[in-house]
Amino acid sequence: MKQLLSLLTCLCMVTGFSFAQSSLPAQIQFNYEVVQQMNIKNGEQSGTNTYYFTTNGDFTAIKSSTGDNGMSMLIYTKDGSGWLVDDARKTITGVSMNKVMTGMAMKGNKNPKTKPARTLTPTGKTKKICGREAVEYQLQSEKGTTNFWYVPVEFPTARLYTAGIGGAGLSKLGATANPLGTAVDKNYLVAEVENGGQKAIETKSITKTAFSFSTAGYTIKDLRGKSLGGIIKEQSK
């Protein structure tokens, strides 16, 4: 995710395009907030991610405590767009997540490798996370075992786990063997991830929120008509 956010941040710096009508409303009222601690090896903290969700699933936003190269927030919308908010530059840049993800996949497939076999199965174990009943799934692969704890939530998580693409993204996840596919299929939140006795993700809170985002005062740049290659080409001029 961090690599994707960094790439999308670079796209914000592209200029010279005409502004099309934005699918981003003037104001978004979010209903739920999730705060997660992201860790690296040996339990060292690498930052906090805050996620915002609307009850109807139309909008999902991500804010990182690390700033991710100046990007303040990324908003996924129901039409498959990603809107990158830069508070410092007072800009909001729109990209087509389908085109960006397709472009990234094509670049990664120049040297295709056989995907290793993996299985994701429920263990039957449960525990409380943020006051909610969490269930454990175990991912077995050539690299070892990773434990995923999920909690059921009353807001859709699909827009987050499919990078805003929606149904097309869901169909490519492969719900039977993909931890994110399982989350989307069952409307779960990935609340905790543990590998080798170390927690990579920990959920600190799941709460209702009155957070509202307004586009007032921002310049909106709409690059959704550009493919990833086209955007990079324009950027290099």
Side-chain angles (χ1 to χ4, degrees), residues 10-186:
C10 293
L11 306 186
C12 284
M13 302 177 69
V14 182
T15 58
F17 295 98
S18 60
F19 298 166
Q21 184 177 3
S22 168
S23 69
L24 194 66
Q27 188 163 328
I28 303 173
Q29 177 64 59
F30 292 97
N31 308 112
Y32 287 89
E33 175 190 273
V34 175
V35 178
Q36 293 187 335
Q37 178 67 53
M38 319 305 288
N39 304 316
I40 55 178
K41 291 183 179 180
N42 301 320
E44 182 180 346
Q45 295 182 356
S46 60
T48 300
N49 285 349
T50 301
Y51 305 96
Y52 295 99
F53 300 87
T54 58
T55 303
N56 60 12
D58 286 350
F59 303 96
T60 296
I62 308 170
K63 295 182 70 174
S64 173
S65 62
T66 61
D68 282 315
N69 294 330
M71 187 180 69
S72 307
M73 184 164 61
L74 170 59
I75 303 173
Y76 292 136
T77 60
K78 61 183 178 181
D79 66 347
S81 300
W83 296 91
L84 297 93
V85 180
D86 188 329
D87 286 337
R89 295 184 178 88
K90 300 302 291 184
T91 60
I92 302 175
T93 304
V95 298
S96 165
M97 293 307 303
N98 187 50
K99 291 178 180 179
V100 169
M101 298 299 287
T102 299
M104 292 175 67
M106 290 178 65
K107 289 171 69 69
N109 285 336
K110 289 184 177 180
N111 298 303
K113 298 179 180 179
T114 302
K115 292 184 178 181
R118 60 183 182 181
T119 57
L120 181 69
T121 56
T123 66
K125 295 181 180 179
T126 63
K127 68 176 182 180
K128 292 288 186 180
I129 296 180
C130 297
R132 297 169 182 246
E133 190 80 2
V135 295
E136 184 187 47
Y137 279 65
Q138 203 168 72
L139 180 68
Q140 299 281 355
S141 71
E142 62 175 6
K143 295 182 179 180
T145 301
T146 303
N147 298 319
F148 290 82
W149 288 91
Y150 302 90
V151 294
V153 289
E154 55 271 33
F155 48 88
T157 60
R159 212 160 299 285
L160 173 64
Y161 296 133
T162 60
I165 298 174
L170 173 59
S171 66
K172 296 176 182 178
L173 283 177
T176 58
N178 190 307
L180 299 185
T182 295
V184 172
D185 184 52
K186 297 180 180 296

Side-chain angles (χ1 to χ4, degrees), residues 187-208:
N187 200 40
Y188 282 155
L189 175 75
V190 180
E192 192 171 293
V193 179
E194 183 177 345
N195 183 273
Q198 300 287 335
K199 291 182 181 180
I201 298 176
E202 298 179 77
T203 300
K204 299 300 183 181
S205 63
I206 304 172
T207 58
K208 290 186 176 181

Side-chain angles (χ1 to χ4, degrees), residues 199-228:
K199 291 182 181 180
I201 298 176
E202 298 179 77
T203 300
K204 299 300 183 181
S205 63
I206 304 172
T207 58
K208 290 186 176 181
T209 184
F211 173 63
S212 179
F213 176 75
S214 172
T215 62
Y218 289 87
T219 298
I220 297 179
K221 303 177 181 181
D222 196 335
L223 309 184
R224 291 175 297 164
K226 294 287 182 179
S227 66
L228 177 60

